Amino acid sequence: MPGEKILLSHGEGGKKSRDLIRKIIAKRFENPILSPLFDSGLLGRLDGEIAFTTDGYVVTPAIFPGGDIGRLAVCGTLNDLSVCGARPVAISCSLILEEGFPVATLETILDSMKAAAKEGNVVVACGDTKVVEKGNADGIFITTSGVGIASDGWRPAPENVRPGDRIVLTGTMGDHQAAVLIARNRLELAAEILSDVAPLSSMLLDVLSVFGGSVRFMRDPTRGGVGVSLNEMAESSRVRIVLDESRLPVAEAVRGICEILGFDPIYLANEGKALLIVDGKSADPIVETLRKTRYGRNATVIGEVTDGSPGVLMKTVIGGLRAVDYPVGDQLPRIC
Amino acid sequence: MQLKYIDEFRDPGLAKGVVDSIRTLWGDRPPMRLMEVCGTHTVSIARAGIRSLLEGAITLISGPGCPVCVTPDGYIDAAIGLGKRPDTVIATFGDMLRVPGRISSLEKERGQGIDVRILYSPLDAVEIAAGNPEKEVVFLGVGFETTAPSIAGAILSAAERKIENFSVLSSVRTIPLAMEVLASDPEVRIEGFLCPAHVSTIIGSDAYLPLARKFGVPCVVAGFEPLDILYGIYLLLRQKKQGVATVENEYSRVATPSGNRKALEVLAKVFRECDIGWRGIGVLPRTGLAIADAYAGFDAQKKFGVEIPFSEEKTACRCGDVLKGKITPRECPLFGKACTPEEPYGPCMVSSEGTCAAYYKYGVQ
């Protein structure tokens, strides 16, 4: 029905709940694990080390240039599994809806979850839906958990990072947060900036299958961006990372918006990028392999691991050296 | 969107050329003591790593050109006091939120229920007032000549639209006379000024002529990009070497000798000169802009009978000495220990343009 809104009765467990779940939600994700609508999804026997992750998504606006909260909720969890070297098997989908949320928008978001799950080759195995009174949520919140099977013989190993290793970034920085900021502030800009939200499983797992022994560990630089992820990586490996400012990839439009608003793209969130610390000798072949993939076209080496006290430094474009620290006190809006 | 002329001002080859010229020009003379007055310069210098490039040739000291940093704690207390009045909205630039007053900050008080709104333009505060006639909207007018015209513009707009529930708690300061105070301080020993870029677009580069002549200090107006700064430093060293002290304008693509006439007219109309306290420095005569009598209805101090007390607080925090360039942040006993960007003790650590924050964020340990 056009214009239909989510009502409290959609969450009360009666006929309306049942209709919402069966006809709108479960119908889209149809698969043998979910469809019986048991109280748990039965995944069958899994062979290998199990990876398990969870994440909540509260981005506003729920639909932004280049994606929406549904695609984000699937990709975010898939990417968390992937950077740990795990092949995604199944995810959950827990929705918190605010009374009055348009059903049509919910359907758009669910369609987008379905498409992302298909692209990421994962099933939605279980779910839950709650409705809260108007004013007690912001339209829609989604939580997804994910189960994956770790690649044979590969584990994240920050302890193996050593001087001479290289830092690889799979593409441009800051697209997601820039897109959301523009949508939130209704900034009128000539060029469109699209969120990079994307499932990275196949790209990263392919790299691991060929270069597994050379990849020390990986992170997806979401909140806090490349700057924060690298600081965490330097901390957990207890090494110094030196970035080359001239090699940091930033889309022209993102750079423009950062110059205008005073943001540093290195601290802006990404939802379709990965950082890899790899053996120096394998860096170039890994970059080449990544560049052949859809989401790794702009992959590049952005820095290296050197001797020295742990932390992240940057060789600036004009040849100076400075620290890249954790950002503080930025009033970040809800971006993921 | 293509934002042109960014890379041009960050060109590595040209930068190396200027650095080499500076080295050749200066030889092995003792480092020249230069002050970059403006907080945006401080951040740009730290971000580009310029100190590390010019080590030995110059000593760069950071000046008081961060508006948040020089705002006295009494002002914050006054703003909080106003915010506690019923039906009052405090509208402010975001930087002010975390500045500590004597006992609290706007951020903490917002948690306790006062209505604080973060804006990008003073005109937005006028809109809030227009849309909420039952509320009193007080804009925290903090800044230098750069922001002053937009504050004046907001007052003129409110006056024209007869929006009577809008007012400004003015804490606007002007730069050139404050630079004279620093130039005359034998403890600071400034041998050259890198003059603020944006302030100069308003007041014009000629505004520093009295300073250069009176104190024999070379002045260069420079932009904020790395090459602007490097070339500005080169010009300062060249003046020093030639034994001249005048004003040169590196930022001629934006700043002119006489400034922005329209903006200066608006300032003259809405504000009048006054003495004002600078946190950590003291009361400096004729460096403040108070709201002129013709617009007294928009002066929050008069409207609500608010006093902004100024006292020279004595604590372990050495922001005052940092602002005057007497010490670098690392020489303050609190730096990085009791005073960090997460838990700032002094204002120089609060503002993103504060000297201590820039040292903390970009400093190579």
Side-chain angles (χ1 to χ4, degrees), chain B residues 96-112:
Chain B
M96 292 298 292
L97 208 59
R98 299 170 67 225
V99 182
R102 239 162 298 198
I103 36 171
S104 187
S105 68
L106 287 164
E107 186 181 42
K108 286 181 189 149
E109 292 297 325
R110 182 158 79 166
Q112 301 293 318

Side-chain angles (χ1 to χ4, degrees), chain A residues 191 259 316-317 322-323 331, chain B residues 1 7 10 47-48 97 362-363:
Chain A
E259 290 291 334
T316 68
V317 171
R322 67 156 166 101
Q331 295 176 329
Chain B
M1 167 186 45
D7 292 330
R10 296 175 190 172
R47 271 194 70 167
L97 208 59
Y362 299 115

